[in-house]
Amino acid sequence: MIARRGLLALPALLAAAAAGAQPWAPSRPIRFVLPLAAGGSLDALARLIAAHLTPVLRQPVVVEPRPGAGGNLAFEYVARAAADGHTILVGWDSLVINPPLYRRVNYDPVTDFNPIVQTIAAPQVLVVRADGAGDLSSLIAAAKAARPALSWASPGNGSIGHMTGELFRRDAELPDFEHVPYRGAAPAATDLLAGVVSALWVSLPAVTEHVREGRFRALVVTGARRSAVLPSVPTAIEVGQTALEIVSWQGLLAPAGTPAAAVETLNSEVNKALNSDNISRWIAAQGSERIGGDPGVLAAQIRADVRRWAEVIHRTGARPD
């Protein structure tokens, strides 16, 4: 019988590492495959980590954007890549959201990947332009009255911004509030600035600077408590949106079957990168929480999210737009 792959093989990976697997070193450049367009927070953190790893691993670590199909192009590409430690997915929530959202995907988030490390967690934030709605109730009122309908953006179909927006649209009874998906947070933010869309649901790090510099107004964050970088912005719970306690994750994953020594080496070095002064300061300044730890942390997050987002998609009727 063929052994189950990916997360189900994680105990064996950890046991092999604990038993003293031979050190691993890359033999050619490592590619960090990004499921979104360049320019967002997912890209920024990946490049910071890549810059830290390049001298340590003595091979270039390059970030390669492969946007499209809500991230599925990148997810499927890495799932089918050689399991040798040289092709790494810069993963986020869409990895587990997409399978129940799309009619067909050609990967399994549990069996086709070996988690390496969860890098950060961050709340979602709803932002408008500085001259937009003054608070959440004003946006809801405007969305109910607008003809033609107002529109809201997300970083893409299957993004956690998409799912958060669908939950918000349902609970606020805004069936005509139109979703506009983008290929990443950066192009979505650009169109919000230009007035093409009226609002944007996105992970906080992607728009922190826009809010600080007065280009965007943040209406609500989805963490359990207020963000330290935007302390005046209420949580969703404070304004009665109790279903919107939502935290996004980012992390690195390898194709299933990647040698345990490669997973352990990458996990160890990425943890060192996350603990370095410049990266830890950047993470804190963006309003994210540094996670790190062993691969099991990300494995547990993926298992929990597989269940949660399948239920949300069923309940909201969310679909790719």
Side-chain angles (χ1 to χ4, degrees):
M1 182 177 178
I2 298 174
R4 295 291 299 277
R5 303 173 72 201
L7 295 182
L8 301 184
L10 191 60
L13 280 170
L14 296 176
Q22 290 299 309
W24 174 84
S27 58
R28 60 183 186 278
I30 293 175
R31 291 179 299 157
F32 278 4
V33 179
L34 191 74
L36 297 173
S41 61
L42 196 70
D43 176 48
L45 181 57
R47 291 180 189 279
L48 286 170
I49 293 172
H52 177 94
L53 294 182
T54 291
V56 174
L57 298 179
R58 299 183 179 181
Q59 288 287 348
V61 181
V62 297
V63 177
E64 180 182 302
R66 282 183 175 257
N72 288 335
L73 295 184
F75 303 150
E76 293 168 3
Y77 177 79
V78 175
R80 303 294 169 252
D84 57 11
H86 293 86
T87 304
I88 304 300
L89 176 65
V90 183
W92 70 332
D93 311 86
S94 295
L95 180 71
V96 294
I97 292 170
N98 285 358
L101 182 68
Y102 286 82
R103 192 164 295 178
R104 180 180 178 183
V105 298
N106 294 314
Y107 72 89
D108 185 298
V110 172
T111 61
D112 283 338
F113 299 93
N114 284 144
I116 295 171
V117 64
Q118 182 176 343
T119 52
I120 63 170
Q124 294 293 288
V125 60
L126 178 61
V127 293
V128 297
R129 291 200 329 173
D131 58 358
D135 55 29
L136 189 65
S137 61
S138 297
L139 178 65
I140 291 172
K144 287 182 176 179
R147 296 294 182 272
L150 297 183
S151 58
W152 61 278
S154 80
N157 283 315
S159 67
I160 196 166
H162 179 195
M163 293 297 98
T164 305
E166 292 292 352
L167 283 170
F168 169 66
R169 181 162 64 172
R170 184 203 64 180
D171 289 357
E173 300 179 345
L174 299 173
D176 297 326
F177 200 13
E178 181 184 2
H179 174 225
V180 181
Y182 286 80
R183 289 190 172 190
T190 297
D191 269 9
L192 178 60
L193 281 169
V196 176
V197 292
S198 300
L200 168 63
W201 276 108
V202 69
S203 293
L204 179 57
V207 291
T208 302
E209 289 304 312
H210 285 298
V211 176
R212 283 179 176 149
E213 294 173 11
R215 292 185 291 270
F216 289 166
R217 175 182 292 117
L219 303 184
V220 67
V221 295
T222 65
R225 56 187 178 277
R226 294 193 180 198
S227 168
V229 298
L230 299 176
S232 65
V233 180
T235 68
I237 295 171
E238 288 179 84
V239 297
Q241 297 287 327
T242 56
L244 298 184
E245 186 178 337
I246 295 169
V247 176
S248 176
W249 60 265
Q250 295 179 19
L252 301 177
L253 305 97
T258 296
V263 172
E264 181 176 4
T265 296
L266 291 168
N267 173 272
S268 175
E269 295 303 334
V270 174
N271 270 293
K272 292 174 185 175
L274 294 174
N275 290 325
S276 66
D277 288 343
N278 67 316
I279 295 181
S280 60
R281 282 197 302 266
W282 183 90
I283 290 171
Q286 301 305 306
S288 297
E289 178 186 359
R290 185 181 63 218
I291 302 299
D294 66 47
V297 175
L298 180 52
Q301 182 71 60
I302 289 173
R303 288 193 185 99
D305 279 358
V306 164
R307 294 188 297 271
R308 181 184 189 184
W309 294 119
E311 292 171 0
V312 167
I313 290 165
H314 176 74
R315 192 164 71 245
T316 63
R319 66 187 190 282
D321 292 299

